Amino acid sequence: MSDNAKLEFKGEVYELPVITGTENEKAIDITKLRAQSGLITIDNGFMNTGSCQSKVTFLNGEKGILRYRGYPIEQLAEKSDFVETSYLLYNGELPTKAQREAFYADITKHAKLPEGVKNILNQFPADAHPMGVVSATVSALSGFYPEFLGPEATDEVKERAIAQLMAQVKIIMANFYRKTVGKDPIESNPALGYSKDFLNMMFDGEVDDDVAKALDTLLILHADHEQNCSASTVRVVGSSHANIFASISAGIDALWGQLHGGANQAVLEMLEEIKADGGDYEKFIAKAKDKNDPFRLMGFGHRVYKNFDPRAKIIKVACDTILEKLNVQDPLLDIAKGLEEVALKDEYFVQRNLYPNVDFYSGIIYKALGIPTNMFTAMFVLGRLPGWLSQWKELREDGTAKIARPRQVYTGETERNYKDISER
Ligand code: ACO
């Protein structure tokens, strides 16, 4: 039996090849459909459209599976660390000891910012949103490293891109935070380890091993999530052969929205709002269910996870551990737990497969670590960087990749004649 799919339209039958992935996922290849039939496909929000073939991350939303390069997220969160996981995502294999050391030495080599970038950072008002600051500063890096601007993604560019961005983005974030609290920046000290160095640059003090480990786990959980809104943005921008800083900066902007990475800030603000309102979370559940009310339960629901978010399971445990370790008694956590309990039993949420996602708990951990609420989404940037870079690298190494250029079904006015302003 042929593996082709058949599409019948107005008596004509069009054969469309079916592509099968390594996890037996099937996709109808419609690349030639328009040339054959004049038809395009339309798919609002790309709900059912594959934009590429990728070897980076496998996700099965129905079964709650997430694997980076084949390795289950549960194993990586337990046994790996963020630097190793980043290497894995970018290079496809876990590093040997020597490769791990060489990779970290590369990150260490780039752990400083040009003076001009420090000056740019200093010009932002202290109340600027960190996402705008990080995005603009990453874009500004292109002005300082012209060697990245050529149309080719050379081996040198690919090798340096991940080391440099992993080193510099965390300095940009920590330096800006220090400015917002009126303190001088602290030099990066990569010898502390990736996550500990970041916390040290933020808070300048002894960083507890368990606290650094909790952050490292969070970063691993956020490191990639296949073709989500921001990764797709990185690929779309990268497909025009714009430079890596432009592509990553665009990804940061896409992540900013509340329906995506901005949810972690929105979750905490929602919990604060419920607390300020007297803690009656049932009232907010009713609001979320009311079709005339735009309110949504932040941190609930996911485009692809329709059973459970495997990252949320891991993060919930990390959350309990860290709150106990830091001896945090946070009333917001009780509200979060109450919300979760009620929503998981409520018919509205059950019918629509709405479960807590990774960001429902990440904000509570960030808060316990002392990270300000408006910086939560930037923390997501730190985690997602290796994923974006890996998606970008894969795109640039794919000889068949084309510039992203969707089509549309036009629903506007048909042709009409220009009227002079006096006749309108
Ligand atoms: N609260 C209340 N109702 C919801 C919620 C929610 N959080 N999420 C979805 N719904 C309802 C919708 O109203 C819709 O109901 P209907 O069928 O009666 O019209 C149904 O569930 C399906 O919702 P869609 O918006 O069509 O689902 P989609 O897959 O497009 O959206 C999204 C997914 C954006 C994540 C959505 O669930 C949401 O807005 N969640 C809150 C924001 C959030 O937590 N985002 C973080 C996502 S994870 C991440 O990016 C890291």
Side-chain angles (χ1 to χ4, degrees):
M1 203 169 77
S2 149
D3 250 356
N4 289 352
K6 289 193 176 79
L7 174 77
E8 192 177 339
F9 182 66
K10 294 202 169 167
E12 291 284 335
V13 175
Y14 305 100
E15 291 229 5
L16 301 164
V18 171
I19 296 169
T20 305
T22 50
E23 293 285 348
N24 211 22
E25 292 173 302
K26 307 261 183 223
I28 300 172
D29 179 352
I30 51 99
T31 327
K32 300 208 166 71
L33 179 64
R34 185 170 175 274
Q36 289 170 349
S37 65
L39 292 166
I40 64 161
T41 55
I42 190 154
D43 182 14
N44 189 4
F46 310 121
M47 300 270 290
N48 196 41
T49 294
S51 59
C52 62
Q53 297 186 48
S54 176
K55 293 182 167 60
V56 182
T57 289
F58 174 69
L59 198 167
N60 180 321
E62 284 72 32
K63 296 188 180 150
I65 296 173
L66 175 62
R67 296 184 202 131
Y68 299 159
R69 301 286 188 179
Y71 294 101
I73 190 66
E74 293 80 4
Q75 290 183 21
L76 292 169
E78 188 193 335
K79 299 183 176 151
S80 184
D81 61 52
F82 182 59
V83 170
E84 183 184 75
T85 297
S86 303
Y87 181 100
L88 167 71
L89 279 167
Y90 202 64
N91 298 293
E93 295 296 337
L94 285 167
T96 60
K97 195 163 179 286
Q99 287 167 331
R100 163 89 173 62
E101 278 166 12
F103 181 52
Y104 200 59
D106 260 1
I107 294 177
T108 304
K109 198 163 78 190
H110 296 290
K112 53 188 170 311
L113 294 178
E115 284 307 309
V117 176
K118 290 185 196 164
N119 291 339
I120 291 173
L121 264 179
N122 265 329
Q123 297 311 311
F124 286 101
D127 61 354
H129 195 286
M131 285 298 277
V133 173
V134 179
S135 166
T137 312
V138 166
S139 184
L141 289 175
S142 62
F144 296 84
Y145 301 103
E147 61 274 29
F148 281 90
L149 302 192
E152 298 302 322
T154 60
D155 286 346
E156 197 221 334
V157 162
K158 283 184 291 190
E159 211 162 290
R160 249 179 72 189
I162 186 161
Q164 185 168 326
L165 280 161
M166 280 184 68
Q168 292 184 329
V169 168
K170 72 174 173 171
I171 304 178
I172 292 170
M173 284 170 52
N175 280 17
F176 181 66
Y177 167 73
R178 301 285 295 176
K179 178 193 158 86
T180 64
V181 291
K183 295 189 173 155
D184 288 336
I186 292 169
E187 289 285 307
S188 174
N189 178 7
L192 293 173
Y194 193 86
S195 296
K196 213 178 223 192
D197 178 33
F198 173 72
L199 291 170
N200 183 57
M201 281 193 285
M202 291 279 290
F203 305 119
D204 188 19
E206 185 89 351
V207 181
D208 182 274
D209 283 344
D210 289 344
V211 169
K213 168 80 184 123
L215 174 60
D216 214 69
T217 306
L218 272 184
L219 298 180
I220 293 173
L221 296 181
H222 283 94
D224 194 46
H225 213 234
E226 54 120 297
Q227 307 313 318
N228 56 82
C229 177
S230 54
S232 299
T233 302
V234 169
R235 278 189 181 256
V236 166
V237 177
S239 78
S240 75
H241 294 188
N243 65 78
I244 183 63
F245 303 113
S247 303
I248 296 296
S249 171
I252 295 171
D253 289 334
L255 188 75
W256 195 349
Q258 279 201 355
L259 301 189
H260 192 12
N264 58 12
Q265 175 177 339
V267 167
L268 211 90
E269 287 166 354
M270 175 187 78
L271 295 176
E272 300 272 15
E273 190 188 340
I274 298 175
K275 185 176 149 222
D277 194 63
D280 180 4
Y281 41 79
E282 304 262 5
K283 179 175 148 190
F284 285 80
I285 293 209
K287 265 166 79 63
K289 287 158 60 174
D290 180 356
K291 287 285 154 217
N292 298 316
D293 190 326
F295 176 80
R296 281 188 167 201
L297 267 198
M298 287 293 130
F300 270 78
H302 199 278
R303 169 58 61 79
V304 289
Y305 291 124
K306 300 298 178 196
N307 187 348
F308 68 93
D309 180 340
R311 302 165 304 169
K313 268 195 171 175
I314 302 168
I315 219 171
K316 215 172 145 179
V317 176
C319 186
D320 287 341
T321 314
I322 208 67
L323 292 184
E324 200 183 312
K325 170 94 196 176
L326 297 173
N327 201 15
V328 173
Q329 310 292 331
D330 194 337
L332 295 188
L333 189 66
D334 297 333
I335 295 176
K337 284 190 169 150
L339 261 187
E340 184 189 8
E341 210 173 294
V342 175
L344 287 180
K345 284 193 214 129
D346 190 291
E347 205 185 325
Y348 174 96
F349 290 87
V350 173
Q351 267 179 4
R352 289 167 180 76
N353 296 314
L354 299 169
Y355 299 86
N357 57 50
V358 67
D359 286 320
F360 190 64
Y361 283 103
S362 65
I364 293 174
I365 302 188
Y366 291 140
K367 183 165 180 264
L369 298 184
I371 291 165
T373 310
N374 76 350
M375 215 178 142
F376 289 180
T377 314
M379 295 302 295
F380 195 154
V381 168
L382 203 58
R384 187 52 60 84
L385 256 183
W388 289 331
L389 286 155
S390 306
Q391 299 288 343
W392 167 83
K393 179 171 174 248
E394 187 176 68
L395 167 94
R396 295 306 308 269
E397 288 179 345
D398 176 359
T400 67
K402 296 194 180 303
I403 184 167
R405 204 312 188 177
R407 290 189 177 265
Q408 64 169 15
V409 174
Y410 176 70
T411 57
E413 298 287 347
T414 52
E415 186 178 8
R416 48 186 174 164
N417 286 326
Y418 181 84
K419 276 189 195 153
D420 191 78
I421 196 160
S422 60
E423 295 168 32
R424 288 176 223 160

